[in-house]
Amino acid sequence: MIPIAKPWLGEEEKKAVLQVLDSGMLAQGKKVAELEKAFAEFIGVKHAIATSNGTTALHAALLAHNISTGDEVITTPFSFIATANTISMCGAKPVFVDIEKESFNIDPELIEKAITPKTKAIMPVHLYGKAANMSKIMELAKKHNLIVIEDACQAHGAEFIKTNETTKTSEASKTETQKVGSFGTGSFSFYPTKNMTCGEGGIITTNEDIVAAKARKIIAHGSEKRYYHDHLGYNYRMTDIAAAIGLEQLKKLPRFNDARKNNARYFQEKLSSLTNIILPKIDEGHVFHQYTIRIKNRDKVLEHLTAKGIQTGVFYPVPIHQQKSFSEYNQQSFPVAEKIAKEALSIPVHPQLSEEDKEFIVRTLTEINHSLN
Ligand SMILES: Cc1ncc(COP(=O)(O)O)c(C=O)c1O
C-alpha cells in the first residue's frame, strides 16, 4: 500500500529524544525554547509559543486576542473541525463564508458581506498547504479593524505570493513572497501527517508582544510566575521530548517541502491531459500538505485506487456547517464547499514517494480516467 502520509523520522530525532530522556527534564525546558526561537526565525516573526497540538495553538491564539462570548469570527466551512471548534470553545460564533473552487480557501470577495458589528476576527485556513488570499484578507481586516488569526496547521513554510496587482509596484514583473503565519497571529500543527511533526504538538506565531505574553500565560494556567495565577488558563504546553523531535524536523522541513513540490509538479505534468480529473491550481508558495484533485464519482475512484494499493484521503467529506455538532448551521448553504466536499480526493504526495510509486499512481489514474469516459 502506498500510504497517504508517512512521517519521516531518522537517527537525528532518535538521538535528540534520548538526550532529553537522559537529561531528566521531560516537560518544558531548553528544547521547547530552542524550537520556539528557530520556528519564529523560520516564519519571520518576533515570537513563537509552542503548544500541545494545533487545536490548543488555535484556542490559545484566539483567547490571547480576547475573543469571547458575543464575538463573531469569520472562517471557512471547508476545513478540519478544529478551526470552528476553537472559535466555539471561546464562546464566540463562527460565521462561515464559502470558498473558491480553485484554491479550496475562503473566498475573500464574500467576506465583506458577512461582517457585522459583532465581527471581531477573520480566521483564514491555508488548506492543503496553499496560502489563502492574504492581500485581500489583510486589506479587509485593516478596513474593518479586524484581527487576523491564520489557521496554518497544514501550511508549514507556505508562502503567499503577492502579485503586481496587490503589491502595486511599478516594476511590472516584480513579485513578493511572505510566509503564512506572519500576516496575523498564526497557528501550526505538528501532527504526524503534517509536513513536519513532533508526535502531537503545535505552535503560535506572532509579531505582537502583548499577544505573545498573553498566549504564554494561557497555555500555563494563566500564570507567568509559578503558582501565581492572573486569569483562567489551561495546560497546553509542549514537552521537551516533542520539541526535540520538532527541532530536527524543522531542519529537514525545506527538504521535505521541496520533495512535496517536486512530486506535485510531476503529477501536474503527467495528469494534465486527463479530461475527467481537475488538477489543483499550483504556485511556487504551495507546500502540498495534500495534492488534491477533483473528480466525479469520487467514491468509486477512491475504491478503485484502494484496491490497487494506493491510499487516498477525503479532506473533508462533510463541510463544517453540515456536521451534526454544528446542527444550528445545517440549514445554511455554501454551494462551493458542498460541491468540493463531494469531489475532492487527495492522493499521496509525501516526500517518501519513490519514482515507481509516482509512476504507478499516474498509470492507475490514467486507466481510471479512460474508464470514466
Ligand atoms: C486546518 C487544521 N486546523 C487545525 C488542526 C488541529 O491540529 P491538531 O490535530 O494538531 O490539534 C488541524 C489538524 O489536523 C488542521 O488540519
Side-chain angles (χ1 to χ4, degrees):
M1 185 62 102
I2 304 173
I4 182 74
K6 192 172 178 188
W8 200 344
L9 298 157
E11 288 309 312
E12 299 81 1
E13 286 82 357
K14 289 182 196 163
K15 223 172 115 186
V17 167
L18 285 178
Q19 260 177 17
V20 175
L21 296 184
D22 287 340
S23 79
M25 291 286 295
L26 306 188
Q28 283 226 327
K30 260 181 17 203
K31 291 288 178 186
V32 170
E34 274 178 50
L35 177 64
E36 289 177 338
K37 186 166 178 290
F39 202 82
E41 270 168 27
F42 174 70
I43 298 296
V45 290
K46 269 171 86 178
H47 309 279
I49 301 101
T51 62
S52 48
N53 57 57
T55 306
T56 53
L58 279 170
H59 188 209
L62 285 156
L63 292 173
H65 279 283
N66 302 314
I67 305 291
S68 67
T69 312
D71 295 334
E72 291 179 356
V73 179
I74 292 175
T75 192
T76 163
F78 193 62
S79 181
F80 181 55
I81 197 80
T83 307
N85 274 355
T86 51
I87 298 169
S88 300
M89 282 155 69
C90 298
K93 183 179 162 202
V95 172
F96 298 118
V97 163
D98 211 351
I99 58 168
E100 303 170 315
K101 63 177 181 312
E102 296 77 19
S103 72
F104 306 109
N105 284 327
I106 194 166
D107 185 342
E109 299 301 335
L110 304 177
I111 291 177
E112 202 153 25
K113 268 194 283 182
I115 296 174
T116 75
K118 292 182 178 171
T119 309
K120 193 132 175 228
I122 308 174
M123 190 193 275
V125 178
H126 308 297
L127 202 72
Y128 305 148
K130 158 115 182 96
N133 187 334
M134 292 313 292
S135 291
K136 294 224 169 113
I137 290 168
M138 295 312 287
E139 209 176 284
L140 281 169
K142 197 168 167 198
K143 182 171 163 194
H144 295 276
N145 195 23
L146 302 175
I147 295 155
V148 175
I149 296 166
E150 302 172 64
D151 181 339
C153 283
Q154 301 188 2
H156 317 70
E159 290 177 322
F160 177 66
I161 304 189
K162 302 178 196 176
T163 57
N164 303 322
E165 180 208 354
T166 49
T167 54
K168 293 195 174 69
T169 152
S170 54
E171 293 166 60
S173 62
K174 194 164 173 190
T175 55
E176 276 177 45
T177 61
Q178 185 177 336
K179 284 214 174 76
V180 305
S182 68
F183 288 88
T185 292
S187 297
F188 294 81
S189 162
F190 299 135
Y191 188 74
T193 54
K194 300 293 193 275
N195 291 30
M196 63 169 279
T197 185
C198 63
E200 290 264 18
I203 205 159
I204 302 165
T205 51
T206 186
N207 279 314
E208 294 180 57
D209 299 344
I210 295 174
V211 170
K214 180 123 192 244
R216 224 170 251 301
K217 285 170 76 171
I218 286 161
I219 68 163
H221 284 297
S223 76
E224 201 169 20
K225 191 172 157 197
R226 215 169 213 196
Y227 306 125
Y228 291 80
H229 305 275
D230 300 336
H231 50 70
L232 185 67
Y234 304 85
N235 178 359
Y236 282 173
R237 294 179 304 254
M238 181 185 275
T239 66
D240 249 31
I241 303 171
I245 302 171
L247 265 167
E248 297 307 320
Q249 289 271 294
L250 182 58
K251 290 181 203 158
K252 299 175 183 178
L253 181 63
R255 191 153 48 83
F256 291 165
N257 281 350
D258 282 348
R260 285 175 183 274
K261 288 181 187 190
N262 282 336
N263 293 344
R265 278 191 217 107
Y266 177 91
F267 289 139
Q268 209 72 4
E269 189 196 318
K270 304 283 179 188
L271 300 174
S272 64
S273 62
L274 306 189
T275 46
N276 295 309
I277 295 176
I278 301 173
L279 302 183
K281 198 174 156 193
I282 79 168
D283 65 55
E284 279 305 304
H286 198 322
V287 291
F288 294 96
H289 170 56
Q290 300 295 348
Y291 182 89
T292 304
I293 58 173
R294 287 167 51 205
I295 195 158
K296 296 256 163 60
N297 295 331
R298 193 255 326 270
D299 296 338
K300 266 200 135 126
V301 172
L302 183 159
E303 270 174 38
H304 189 122
L305 286 164
T306 311
K308 290 277 188 173
I310 300 167
Q311 194 186 18
T312 54
V314 175
F315 312 111
Y316 297 92
V318 182
I320 300 176
H321 68 284
Q322 294 185 328
Q323 295 284 353
K324 267 194 212 154
S325 65
F326 278 89
S327 59
E328 66 275 34
Y329 292 79
N330 287 176
Q331 298 309 314
Q332 295 187 10
S333 166
F334 301 99
V336 183
E338 288 159 27
K339 180 178 163 62
I340 300 294
K342 291 195 178 85
E343 295 178 356
L345 185 67
S346 299
I347 61 173
V349 72
H350 60 78
Q352 294 192 77
L353 286 183
S354 66
E355 289 306 311
E356 294 73 38
D357 291 337
K358 288 190 281 184
E359 280 166 22
F360 183 62
I361 292 168
V362 167
R363 212 173 332 122
T364 310
L365 278 171
T366 308
E367 281 163 21
I368 291 173
N369 182 66
H370 289 319
S371 72
L372 290 174
N373 279 333

